[in-house]
Amino acid sequence: MKVAHTLKVAQVSPQGTEAVLLSFELDVEKEKHFLFRPGQYLTLAVNVEGNDHWRCYSITSAPVRGKFISVLVRRVAGGLVSNWVCDNVQPGDRMDVLPPAGSFTLARPEEPVLLYAGGSGIAPTFALARHALAEGTQKVVLFYANRDRATMMLQAELEDLRRESGERFNIRFWFDDEEGLPSQDDLSGLVKGFEKADVYLCGPELFMKAVCDSLEQTGINQERIHSEDFGTEVDDGASGEEGVESSMLVKIKGEEHTVPVRGQQSLLSAMLNAGIPAPHACRVGECASCICSLEQGEVDRLENSVLDEDDEDDGWLLACRARAISKVLKVRFIN
């Protein structure tokens, strides 16, 4: 089972006007828990007004021993956690951090790569670009869209990578305030010569939808299109869908709450719909933020990358990857 480790913030570097790059120190003992592949992310615990909130942020640093591990955090309008981080975190602070997770990694590192990044989606796509170039691919193209020049992130790092890589790395910067929103032709135009490449995209939902719609017209094999979206809740049915209706008792922070679980809802969705501050982050079974123990009842455990058979035999489950089977459930969070 993955457990959180307390890491010291070594550096806080502004990135444009709306983001910061957090760099954490790793001693020899902790390094072994934080080995990662480019494109993965860390899950951070941020305490705001007495409550822990878990959020996922993509790793931008290279997987090199003896170096800091860094993540990019951008403000979100009305966002409780991202704004608090950008306003308050300082070097020397300590934060609980879960080991790296995520599957947004290069499928074929030596092959040509086409990347689309919107806003803070540059964090994992930059990591993939650097990895592909280090592995020897001869061509990497990045389309990087921002609202304006002031909000652009990782600019210096991108320019350094382009300078080091020469003609092997091409960047198309796009600024909405200067050029408007990118059209389908703007997005699909990069595909010429990359019809057999692997495509990776990360950014706001509307941006990724626009990219996917444009790629449908190009003939690229859909199996070679990979996207990162921390907000997606997989296999979570609507409340009216077929399935057992259950009553779930949730024990959390010394309090008990009774929650209805309807249809094919995940237990986490039922909790959040009821206003319970259940810890959560990735919502796709890769970070362990919503881990809890099953004290009564039966659940259908969906696939995840955190718990092994022994963990499940001991009663542990991920609330985001569990559905009710029995009509009565009791679960308990460890904090």
Side-chain angles (χ1 to χ4, degrees):
M1 181 191 305
K2 293 182 180 179
V3 296
H5 299 262
T6 302
L7 302 184
K8 181 180 178 180
V9 177
Q11 296 177 355
V12 181
S13 307
Q15 291 289 322
T17 58
E18 297 184 352
V20 294
L21 194 66
L22 298 185
S23 298
F24 297 95
E25 292 182 2
L26 291 176
D27 58 30
V28 174
E29 177 62 27
K30 287 190 171 64
E31 265 194 337
K32 63 184 181 183
H33 299 290
F34 285 85
L35 302 176
F36 67 92
R37 293 174 293 160
Q40 291 191 299
Y41 58 83
L42 297 180
T43 307
L44 280 54
V46 181
N47 190 282
V48 182
E49 299 178 353
N51 291 311
D52 283 337
H53 302 269
W54 294 85
R55 295 292 187 273
C56 303
Y57 298 107
S58 293
I59 301 169
T60 62
S61 50
V64 179
R65 292 288 188 97
K67 300 293 185 180
F68 297 151
I69 187 168
S70 304
V71 297
L72 184 67
V73 181
R74 184 180 187 177
R75 294 181 185 275
V76 176
L80 178 67
V81 174
S82 62
N83 288 297
W84 192 94
V85 169
C86 290
D87 289 335
N88 294 281
V89 175
Q90 300 292 328
D93 290 349
R94 297 182 180 275
M95 303 179 73
D96 288 340
V97 183
L98 285 167
S103 56
F104 189 61
T105 55
L106 291 181
R108 301 181 300 163
E110 73 285 353
E111 294 296 324
V113 172
L114 179 58
L115 304 161
Y116 291 90
S120 59
I122 190 58
T125 49
F126 165 69
L128 295 184
R130 182 180 55 207
H131 185 204
L133 291 164
E135 291 295 316
T137 186
Q138 291 305 301
K139 198 64 177 176
V140 174
V141 170
L142 167 66
F143 183 96
Y144 181 23
N146 280 283
R147 188 171 66 247
D148 51 46
R149 293 179 184 270
T151 57
M152 180 165 52
M153 295 150 280
L154 300 181
Q155 180 179 5
E157 290 82 355
L158 286 166
E159 294 293 359
D160 287 345
L161 186 59
R162 180 161 63 176
R163 185 166 49 253
E164 295 165 1
S165 306
E167 295 182 356
R168 297 169 58 213
F169 184 35
N170 181 48
I171 310 174
R172 171 66 166 99
F173 292 108
W174 185 278
F175 304 103
D176 294 346
D177 67 334
E178 299 176 14
E179 303 175 85
L181 295 176
S183 68
Q184 188 172 91
D185 288 342
D186 294 322
L187 295 169
S188 63
L190 278 70
V191 173
K192 186 176 181 180
F194 280 81
E195 289 81 2
K196 296 184 179 181
D198 291 312
V199 183
Y200 302 85
L201 54 144
C202 184
E205 181 180 354
L206 291 178
F207 172 80
M208 293 207 292
K209 183 179 186 306
V211 173
C212 289
D213 289 346
S214 68
L215 293 177
E216 284 185 5
Q217 313 302 318
T218 64
I220 283 187
N221 188 329
Q222 294 297 304
E223 293 181 356
R224 291 187 176 175
I225 300 175
H226 312 273
S227 63
E228 177 70 299
D229 181 5
F230 296 136
T232 301
E233 190 162 358
V234 180
D235 293 328
D236 191 22
S239 59
E241 290 186 3
E242 183 180 355
V244 66
E245 181 169 339
S246 304
S247 176
M248 174 172 59
L249 180 67
V250 181
K251 300 178 180 180
I252 183 170
K253 293 185 178 295
E255 298 182 352
E256 295 186 352
H257 308 265
T258 300
V259 177
V261 186
R262 299 184 176 90
Q264 293 296 302
Q265 280 184 306
S266 69
L267 303 190
L268 176 62
S269 277
M271 296 174 198
L272 297 179
N273 288 344
I276 295 176
H280 65 283
C282 74
R283 295 194 178 193
V284 292
E286 293 192 344
C287 74
S289 301
C290 62
I291 189 170
C292 54
S293 63
L294 180 65
E295 297 188 334
Q296 181 180 339
E298 295 183 62
V299 297
D300 179 19
R301 290 177 169 85
L302 305 180
E303 184 179 355
N304 70 85
S305 62
V306 176
L307 303 179
D308 58 26
E309 290 185 5
D310 290 338
D311 296 327
E312 294 182 353
D313 289 342
D314 289 338
W316 296 107
L317 59 83
L318 300 183
C320 72
R321 303 297 290 160
R323 294 170 174 164
I325 292 179
S326 58
K327 291 188 176 182
V328 176
L329 296 173
K330 289 184 182 180
V331 299
R332 177 177 59 86
F333 284 88
I334 57 179
N335 55 358

